[in-house]
Amino acid sequence: MLFRSDWIGKPLIAQANALMSPANLDGDEWQAIYDNCLATSKGQPGEVAGRLADFHNFLQANYGVPDVELDSTGGARRVDARLVTPKEYNEAKRLLRQNPDPELGEILELTLILAYRCGLRRREAWSRLLNDFDGLDNPVISRVEMIVRPTKWSGIKSWAGVRRLPLWLLLTDEELGKLESFYQRRKARIVGRGTNHPLIAQDMMSGTPCDE
């Protein structure tokens, strides 16, 4: 299958870093890649979207990558977004606390908190490193922040997507306390002194995120 290199090939090559592990990308990350292609391609958005759709159909048929819809106006969109009300959010947290595996329940609840309060995608939450949390291990710092940036497990939509989020403002005191307690317990389990482990890791020896 041939694609015009100046329409999608070059924009895809420009995102080589994000495509280092294509089998591990989720739908949101593929969407981000295609959004960047559409923003930088020299072709007409609708035609570029069509070629990207052909390319993605090829990947789906041969490599089983997640579904991403590209519409005729040249926009990549996901259709699984849902509006979560505060009542539904609190009910979800309550249900997660009932998980028979307390640690897994806590991991799922913290993932939900970071998604709901901070707007993180699933993989962004799972791949946050210990050193992405500024102030959790420093009692002098009262305004705890979280840095969202690329890791080897997860990219971001663009470099403009690198951001510093004020957890002290976005989370409730209870939620921030839960995050701090989890952080301290996880950090205590690290073998060595490294802080390049994901906070939500399968274990604190391999440093592999829970979803890997």
Side-chain angles (χ1 to χ4, degrees):
M1 185 179 295
L2 298 176
F3 304 99
R4 287 195 56 171
S5 63
D6 58 339
W7 280 11
I8 70 169
K10 290 179 180 178
L12 285 170
I13 291 171
Q15 298 181 85
N17 287 339
L19 288 164
M20 292 296 289
S21 301
N24 294 328
L25 297 178
D26 61 21
D28 292 330
E29 288 168 318
W30 279 112
Q31 176 186 339
I33 289 169
Y34 295 147
D35 284 344
N36 287 338
C37 286
L38 288 162
T40 58
S41 175
K42 296 179 180 179
Q44 293 295 319
E47 294 178 346
V48 174
R51 284 162 174 75
L52 287 173
D54 289 341
F55 173 70
H56 197 75
N57 288 339
F58 170 80
L59 294 179
Q60 281 190 295
N62 292 276
Y63 301 101
V65 300
D67 180 49
V68 171
E69 291 192 8
L70 288 137
D71 63 34
S72 59
T73 62
R77 57 186 175 89
R78 294 286 291 170
V79 297
D80 62 350
R82 294 289 185 272
L83 177 65
V84 178
T85 67
K87 181 178 179 180
E88 291 169 333
Y89 168 66
N90 289 324
E91 177 64 12
K93 288 200 299 180
R94 186 187 68 80
L95 292 174
L96 291 174
R97 290 171 188 157
Q98 298 175 6
N99 192 296
D101 182 338
E103 185 172 47
L104 177 58
E106 191 172 22
I107 286 172
L108 294 174
E109 184 180 355
L110 286 171
T111 302
L112 173 64
I113 289 170
L114 294 177
Y116 184 81
R117 297 293 189 190
C118 304
L120 265 60
R121 293 175 290 143
R122 290 182 296 269
R123 195 173 293 268
E124 283 183 324
W126 289 330
S127 62
R128 294 281 53 81
L129 307 180
L130 289 170
N131 60 10
D132 287 335
F133 295 88
D134 188 11
L136 277 183
D137 56 357
N138 188 342
V140 176
I141 299 177
S142 60
R143 296 189 170 186
V144 177
E145 296 180 325
M146 177 178 61
I147 304 170
V148 180
R149 52 191 168 188
T151 71
K152 70 178 182 178
W153 293 284
S154 175
I156 53 174
K157 289 191 174 182
S158 69
W159 281 104
V162 174
R163 55 210 189 270
R164 182 180 288 268
L165 302 177
L167 297 181
W168 62 274
L169 186 61
L170 297 173
L171 274 60
T172 66
D173 290 342
E174 177 190 6
E175 292 167 343
L176 189 56
K178 178 180 290 289
L179 176 62
E180 182 177 3
S181 173
F182 184 81
Y183 176 95
Q184 296 297 348
R185 284 182 277 120
R186 281 281 165 145
K187 188 175 180 182
R189 289 163 57 181
I190 292 178
V191 177
R193 299 175 59 85
T195 56
N196 287 324
H197 285 65
L199 173 67
I200 304 175
Q202 292 180 3
D203 57 69
M204 300 312 284
M205 293 168 46
S206 67
T208 304
C210 276
D211 70 318
E212 292 298 314

